[in-house]
Amino acid sequence: MSDGPVLARISSNLENLRRSERKVADVVLADPRAVVRMTLAELAETVGVSQPTIVRFANAIGCDGFHDFRIALAQSVALGIPATQSVIEARDDTATTVSKIFDYSITSLDHVRRHLDLAALEAAAEALAAADRIVFIGLGASGIVAMDAEQKFPIFGAACSAPIDTHQQFLAASVSTPSTVLVAISNTGRTVSILDTVRVARERGATVVGITGGPSPLAELSSIALVVESLDNTDVYTPTISRLAQLVVIDALATMVLLHRGESALADIRTMKTRLSRMRSGVHHELLDPNRRGRS
């Protein structure tokens, strides 16, 4: 029970605690930020149990005594309240709703980070860095992630596309080559048109990087499977976390590819960002217009 943030450990193991320990857990989960500031005696008084019960509770959830528990609790609070404690209710005000959404997102992203296969991530980055052409495909929320990835094409150093129509996706796979990398994004990993497109790309010799939420047909069909395991969400109000997790993984891949490309690529990106900043501010117009330079 010592793996993961302490709040998540408490939430997922409530049924394994003794009745007195469960009382401690209920108080901690109800207001963890307040408990962080309590002494052993204050927490015991608040819960209505003995101090040894508090210590036994700390040990039961994988902590080495009360002091270790307070440190772990402070770290867990910093990461955000676990998803089980972030369910939005109709009576929640704006501050509570926003806090719960951020807590849920932070905790879920930390869950993704801790379960991500770094070896697979490195293999995907190497494949993308060596590609002559990259095709990102996805539908719905995953399609939005694919389009976001296409916007990073200067970093990947290869021609990138993100067709949104299923026929265009299939055609892109049909003309792929062994130097093509097709990145298929699907949280369920079971979308029929995505799987058909992936099969064609593999037949053409392309490398397929599958980004999916768990074991799935897409993971099995992919050359490299990146499992982005976000927390389950059955709350009708809370927005899905899978798209946010996929976006972060794409950012990680883009950064790793840029590092693989070396210093010359970094210099090109710095130049691009400098020019982009000037374009946004209008400075480049002043530099190009001799009349405006004279007036300044």
Side-chain angles (χ1 to χ4, degrees):
M1 202 186 293
S2 60
D3 182 42
V6 70
L7 283 172
R9 280 156 33 201
I10 296 172
S11 296
S12 60
N13 288 280
L14 288 174
E15 299 303 321
N16 299 324
L17 298 175
R18 299 174 181 176
R19 181 177 299 178
S20 59
E21 295 167 353
R22 175 66 181 267
K23 291 176 64 178
V24 182
D26 290 341
V27 170
V28 172
L29 292 175
D31 195 352
R33 293 180 176 88
V35 173
V36 167
R37 298 189 293 270
M38 293 182 185
T39 65
L40 175 60
E42 289 171 340
L43 180 56
E45 182 179 356
T46 300
V47 178
V49 297
S50 67
Q51 294 185 24
T53 297
I54 302 294
V55 176
R56 284 196 300 270
F57 163 77
N59 293 334
I61 60 171
C63 296
D64 186 18
F66 179 72
H67 180 68
D68 184 44
F69 162 71
R70 282 185 63 188
I71 294 174
L73 181 61
Q75 294 171 337
S76 192
V77 167
L79 286 173
I81 308 303
T84 52
Q85 298 301 118
S86 300
V87 175
I88 297 172
E89 300 177 1
R91 65 176 181 270
D92 287 342
D93 59 17
T94 299
T96 301
T97 300
V98 171
S99 178
K100 285 183 176 181
I101 290 175
F102 271 87
D103 283 337
Y104 179 77
S105 300
I106 293 168
T107 303
S108 298
L109 285 177
D110 180 65
H111 179 85
V112 171
R113 178 181 61 83
R114 289 186 290 105
H115 291 83
L116 196 60
D117 185 339
L118 297 183
L121 195 70
E122 174 64 25
E126 290 179 354
L128 288 165
D132 290 335
R133 178 168 168 259
I134 302 172
V135 180
F136 297 97
I137 64 169
L139 296 174
S142 296
I144 295 173
V145 177
M147 289 187 285
D148 177 80
E150 182 192 17
Q151 297 300 309
K152 298 176 174 62
F153 74 91
I155 294 177
F156 289 110
C160 293
S161 64
I164 59 175
D165 179 82
T166 55
H167 292 118
Q168 292 175 328
Q169 293 173 354
F170 192 84
L171 289 173
S174 298
V175 297
S176 59
T177 69
S179 62
T180 300
V181 173
L182 183 137
V183 182
I185 309 167
S186 171
N187 189 51
T188 65
R190 300 178 184 279
T191 305
V192 173
S193 65
I194 295 294
L195 297 178
D196 288 342
T197 300
V198 165
R199 290 188 183 97
V200 170
R202 291 298 304 272
E203 289 173 3
R204 295 283 300 177
T207 298
V208 173
V209 176
I211 300 178
T212 184
S216 65
L218 176 58
E220 295 173 3
L221 286 172
S222 299
S223 314
I224 304 166
L226 289 178
V227 176
V228 182
E229 182 185 325
S230 56
L231 296 174
D232 291 336
N233 175 28
T234 57
D235 177 20
V236 67
Y237 292 112
T238 306
T240 179
I241 197 66
S242 60
R243 182 175 65 175
L244 181 58
Q246 292 166 354
L247 287 167
V248 174
V249 169
I250 290 293
D251 279 340
L253 279 173
T255 302
M256 292 170 65
V257 168
L258 183 57
L259 292 172
H260 275 291
R261 293 178 59 204
E263 185 58 39
S264 61
L266 289 172
D268 290 340
I269 295 298
R270 291 191 191 100
T271 300
M272 179 197 70
K273 288 191 172 184
T274 298
R275 290 175 175 171
L276 184 61
S277 177
R278 288 175 178 171
M279 183 271 288
R280 287 170 175 165
S281 65
V283 171
H284 72 300
H285 289 293
E286 296 179 5
L287 294 175
L288 293 173
D289 188 344
N291 295 323
R292 295 188 67 178
R293 286 203 305 270
R295 288 195 299 269
S296 62

